[in-house]
Every structure is written in C-alpha cells, then in structure tokens.
Amino acid sequence: MTEPVIEVVDVVKWLGKGAAQVQALKGVSLALRGGELTLLMGPSGSGKTTLLSILGCMLTPTHGTVRMRGRSTEGAGPEALAKLRREHVGFVFQSYHLFPTLTATDNVRLALDVRGENSARAVGKASDALAIVGLAHKRDAFPLELSGGEQQRVAIARAIVGQPSAVLADEPTAALDGENGNAIMALLAEIAKDSSRGVLVVAHDARILRFADRVVHIEDGCIVGDRRGDAALENDQTDCAVPS
Amino acid sequence: MSLIYRLASRNLLHDRLRFVATVVGIVFSILLVTVQLGLYLGFGRIVTTMIDHASADLWIMPPGTKCFEDPSTLDERTRFQALSINGVAQAAPVVIGYAEWRIAAGGTFPVFIVGSDLREGGLLPWNLVEGSLEALAIPGAVAVDRSYFDRLGVEGIGANAEIRGQKVEVRAVTSGIRSFTTTPYVFTTLDRARAFTGTAANKATYFLVRVAPGADVESVRHRLKANLSDVDVLTAAEFRDRSRSFWLFGTGAGFALFAGALLGMIVGTVIVAQTLYSSTKDHINEFATLRAIGSSGIYIHKVIICQALISAVIGFCLAAGIGLLVVAATADTALPIVMTPTLTLVLLFLTLVMCVVSAVAAILQVMRIDPVMVFTR
C-alpha cells in the first residue's frame, strides 16, 4: 500500500464558541492514499465538510495530527497552510467557484499564478489540463458561456493543473444532472488512477458509489464505516462512541 | 504575465457604473488638489513678479519690509552711502505707492504706482506692446497694462486721466503685467511717481543695487549691512522668499490653499476606499476561492492594490487633461493656475498614495476571509 498523501490522526474539532460550541469531529483518523478515489459519505451535519477542510489544510484541528506527505502541519499559521494548499491540494467545489470575468484558460492558470508560475509555460499547462478534462475547444470561453458540467470540468482542470498530491472535491455532482454527474465522477476516477495522487470526494448520492475505490462513512463526527473495493468491510469500525 | 492585473481590471470593470463613479470621484478630487496647488504656485509667482523683473543684485529697503508692496521709504542719503561702498556700481531708486486714477469720463480707480529713473533703470515696464520706454520721458507719461484698459477707462496710447490732480497720458502699453490684487500697476518716472504718491523728493522705497563687474554679491551685501543703518539688504532670492512667505503664510492664503488640497485628498480617499470596499464585498467569494486554492495574503492584497492603482492612473490622466484646460483658461487672469512638471509628478504621486491608502479598508476585509466559506456558498 502506498504512503498516505494526507493523513489525519485522532482529530478532534470544536466549532463555534460558548454555548453554541459543537464538536464537529470526535477523534477521526483517516489516511488518503495515492491511486484511489475515496468517497466520504454521511448525513448533513455529520462532519464531512469539516473533515474535508482539515484534510485540505483550510481548518486546523483542535486536537490531533494532520500530515501532508508525511509532514505534520502542527503549528502552521494561515500563510503556511495556504502554501501547503497551493502545493499539495487541488479543490473542486459544489458550486464550481470559477471567476466569471476570466476565461476557462485563465481560471485554470489561476492555480499556477498563485504559486508564482505565470510564464508562457503556465498557459501551456492550463491548456493541457483543459484537454485532459475534454475542454480544449472551450479554452477561451467564459464560465457563463459553459454548461454546469463544463464549468465543473474547468474547476477540475484548475484542481489538477498544479499536479497536487490530493484532489478534494466537495459534492462535485450535486449541482449536475445524472449524466453530467457521472461524467464528472468518471473524470475524477480517471484522475485518481495516478498513484501519486489521492482523490477524496464528499458525496450524498449513492449512485456514484461505483466510481469509488473506497467508501468512508461518517456520522456525528465519527467514522463509522470504511470499505475498499467491491467488498464492504464486514465490521465497519468506529473511531469513537456514536451516541445512540 | 501574472493574472493579478487581469483580475483587478476585470473586478473593476465588472460594475462599470461604479467604476465610472470612482473615476469621476478621483478626477474631481485630483482636480481640486491641482487647482489648489496650482493656485499656490501661481500666487507664489505673481506676488514676486516685480522682484523677478527688477534688474538688481541686491535690494536696499526699509527694515522689516514684508513684501514689494510695502510702501515705507528710505532717505536718499542712504543711496549715496551705498554708492560709496566698494563693489556697488549702481543704486537705482524705485518709488512705489498707491494712488487714485481719475477717469476722464468720471470716476476713480485705485492704482499702484511704480516709478524708476529711466536712465538708471531699476524697475521699468516690460512686455511693451505699444509705445516705448523713451516715451515715458514725456511729461505726464505713464505705462499701463492692456488688461486693465476697461477698469482704467482708457483705450490705448494717447488716453488721458488724472492722478493726484495731475494730468497723465498713456504713452506705453504692456501685456501680461497683472497684479494679484485688483489694483493695476502704473509705471512712470521716478519724479512723477513721487508726485503721484505724495513721496518726498528725497525719499525712495527701494534702492536697487547692481554690483560692479567681478564683485562678489555676498561681500558687497556684507559691506552694505555694515555701513548702512536702519535698512535691510536682501538678495533678489531672499526678497522673493520674504514676499512669498508674507502673502502665502502671513495672510493665511497659503494655509487656505493647502487646506483645500488636503480636503480634496480626503474626499478622494473616501470615494476610492468606499468603492474598493464595496467591490471587495461583491467579490468576496472570489477572494475566498483564491485563498482556498492556496493564494497568499500578499497575492490578494496585490489584486486589491492593483485595482486601486488602475483607478488612480485612469483618474489621474483624466484629471491632468482637465487640469491643463483649467491652466490654459486661467493663463491670462490675475491669478493664473500654474502647472509645472514637478507639480504633475507630485500630483501623480499623491493620487497613487491616495488610492493605495484607500485600499486599506478592503485589505482589512479580505484579511478576515475564512477560506472555508467556499463550502457554504
């Protein structure tokens, strides 16, 4: 088994303050490995997005350890975490979050531009990434000129153009119809075939299970199931006590 | 090329009406500053126009004289004392003072008399467009500027009037010798100036010293100060500074002009700050996305500052263009607005500073962005 690209160990996360404080994660451990597409599933409020945010170095855990390519992120400030994100993580969002005033190429280039890569090579890399997602012919189109599925493809191109260690996708098919959703999942599955890169997809929709190499279930801040391949684990283990 | 400029310009142009409002705000702000500082420069120049056109290395004047228009007098003996000092080649007397110009058709108007000896020079009219200096030797002859014809009730050479009960005739006409007050200058001979201003025959307002060829001005001044009592001896540059200082700061006019300029800067800063702040709020999702995909804080700050600089450059160019029209329109007025290359650079610098300072509020706002918000929007 390959080295985890991102790993969280015994992560606890409290959100909010005072009386409104809630424990979003209750001691979660998860290792995201290269070469596999992991589905993170669970009901609303189960902690999926919080876990995704911690895996993606957008949030820091209250307790526990996050390792990016084997290196702990402990003590990293906002700028150091941003550096980790731009070097190791590609994000795909439910509502795409493309820049409406930039072309598809420029939207993809942005992920390189924030790294300081702004030469002609960066334009070439952006074009290559668009070709990978099947949008070479739409490189000069603005987001509003693209369909939802095409916009999500541009977002995926943006996520992969920097050759990240992990691609984290937050419900990437939620805003798409079934056909486009399947196409996006097929694309993400294809991207996950690269053994140097892990892909984690947060999802609700059970119809996309077939694209997953691994399915992780989270409920009430605890991982309650972790299955690989076609065989579901017989004993879905839990990291912590789930309230009945 | 980095996408920073593209992002910034498109963020700005995304809401064109707001962008136009911002640019108009900057234009008016910078125009106000231009006018105030241009007036300051113009005022500074016009209050020393007589000093600038006098042929003098040193000015001997009554002690404490604040400006050229200060009509205290010196005794003629001082002139002879000055002429006896080594290095002094000439000490030309000049008499100035206010008088009343009585128009032939009726009515009076105050004028400022400037009298010099025609042979010795000193402070004779320049920019003559009609008549001649020699014609001032004719009894009753005066020179006036053509811009004051209407006020003085004259139509050119040969026109008559009265000053202090004595008949005068316009024998020379100048162009562009304007007073920053509403009082026209009237040039005439030394004796006539004394008569028009009621100055005694042995008195003069200034003695304009020309040093002998090869003599050191500073050494001559030192000797003049040592040998003359109850006088100030100033170089032309010092007298210029003293006059400017009096008119600009002694009267409060300079402070008023600077206050106006400062007000323009404040108004401009507020307008640009408000625009950048609201533009940043409108694009907060995009800035959060940038942060989420790993952009540094500095990258985002650059986008906002770039927006500010684009606004600044466009606003400045328009303001400078309109400013040049204003300068041209006031060129022949009593108080022209002056634009110099240095002032242009200062204005550009002020515009850039103003716009960058305006970006602070927007930058503070994006510093609070939590990248996690991209999951909830």
Side-chain angles (χ1 to χ4, degrees), chain B residues 81-158:
Chain B
Q81 287 172 333
L83 284 170
S84 70
I85 288 168
N86 186 27
V88 173
Q90 189 186 54
V94 171
V95 169
I96 61 161
Y98 288 93
E100 271 202 349
W101 175 282
R102 185 172 294 279
I103 298 164
T108 60
F109 200 82
V111 291
F112 193 84
I113 306 293
V114 179
S116 297
D117 188 297
L118 292 180
R119 283 163 304 175
E120 288 200 73
L123 189 42
L124 296 170
W126 63 96
N127 283 356
L128 287 175
V129 290
E130 279 186 82
S132 65
L133 282 178
E134 293 73 29
L136 289 179
I138 298 168
V142 293
V144 296
D145 196 86
R146 64 180 172 190
S147 57
Y148 294 116
F149 277 1
D150 282 351
R151 276 192 235 175
L152 297 175
V154 299
E155 289 176 348
I157 296 285

Side-chain angles (χ1 to χ4, degrees), chain B residues 234-247:
Chain B
L234 303 182
T235 62
E238 286 169 338
F239 193 25
R240 238 177 253 129
D241 289 345
R242 189 185 278 192
S243 290
R244 276 191 195 131
S245 175
F246 170 73
W247 284 114

Side-chain angles (χ1 to χ4, degrees), chain B residues 41-325:
Chain B
L41 286 185
F43 196 59
R45 280 187 187 180
I46 205 159
V47 296
T48 64
T49 186
M50 287 293 164
I51 303 168
D52 295 338
H53 287 90
S55 50
D57 297 316
L58 293 166
W59 289 67
I60 299 174
M61 62 189 73
T65 299
K66 295 183 184 71
C67 60
F68 175 78
E69 288 77 11
D70 202 336
S72 305
T73 54
L74 296 166
D75 198 280
E76 189 84 356
R77 276 178 305 178
T78 306
R79 180 182 172 227
F80 297 119
Q81 287 172 333
L83 284 170
S84 70
I85 288 168
N86 186 27
V88 173
Q90 189 186 54
V94 171
V95 169
I96 61 161
Y98 288 93
E100 271 202 349
W101 175 282
R102 185 172 294 279
I103 298 164
T108 60
F109 200 82
V111 291
F112 193 84
I113 306 293
V114 179
S116 297
D117 188 297
L118 292 180
R119 283 163 304 175
E120 288 200 73
L123 189 42
L124 296 170
W126 63 96
N127 283 356
L128 287 175
V129 290
E130 279 186 82
S132 65
L133 282 178
E134 293 73 29
L136 289 179
I138 298 168
V142 293
V144 296
D145 196 86
R146 64 180 172 190
S147 57
Y148 294 116
F149 277 1
D150 282 351
R151 276 192 235 175
L152 297 175
V154 299
E155 289 176 348
I157 296 285
N160 292 304
E162 253 183 40
I163 301 176
R164 213 179 172 93
Q166 298 178 57
K167 194 175 174 190
V168 297
E169 183 178 347
V170 175
R171 286 289 186 168
V173 176
T174 63
S175 172
I177 305 182
R178 307 215 33 164
S179 162
F180 65 95
T181 64
T182 55
T183 311
Y185 290 118
V186 173
F187 290 88
T188 189
T189 60
L190 188 66
D191 291 340
R192 231 169 280 143
R194 284 181 175 131
F196 293 162
T197 58
T199 305
N202 64 336
K203 299 282 185 184
T205 318
Y206 301 105
F207 295 119
L208 273 56
V209 173
R210 297 295 299 265
V211 302
D216 177 55
V217 173
E218 198 50 44
S219 303
V220 173
R221 177 162 82 144
H222 188 72
R223 287 196 285 274
L224 283 167
K225 285 181 89 170
N227 288 283
L228 303 179
S229 58
D230 272 346
V231 296
D232 280 348
V233 183
L234 303 182
T235 62
E238 286 169 338
F239 193 25
R240 238 177 253 129
D241 289 345
R242 189 185 278 192
S243 290
R244 276 191 195 131
S245 175
F246 170 73
W247 284 114
L248 287 170
F249 299 107
T251 63
F255 289 115
L257 292 171
F258 273 121
L262 184 65
L263 191 67
M265 288 291 291
I266 292 170
V267 169
T269 305
V270 170
I271 289 171
V272 180
Q274 195 275 337
T275 306
L276 287 176
Y277 185 80
S278 59
S279 167
T280 304
K281 276 192 92 162
D282 283 357
H283 294 95
I284 203 80
N285 278 346
E286 291 167 29
F287 288 119
T289 304
L290 274 177
R291 200 67 176 134
I293 66 174
S295 101
S296 63
I298 288 174
Y299 186 93
I300 295 175
H301 299 169
K302 281 181 184 171
V303 174
I304 293 171
I305 288 173
C306 193
Q307 284 180 230
L309 294 179
I310 292 169
S311 306
V313 170
I314 293 173
F316 173 78
C317 289
L318 290 172
I322 298 170
L324 287 175
L325 294 177

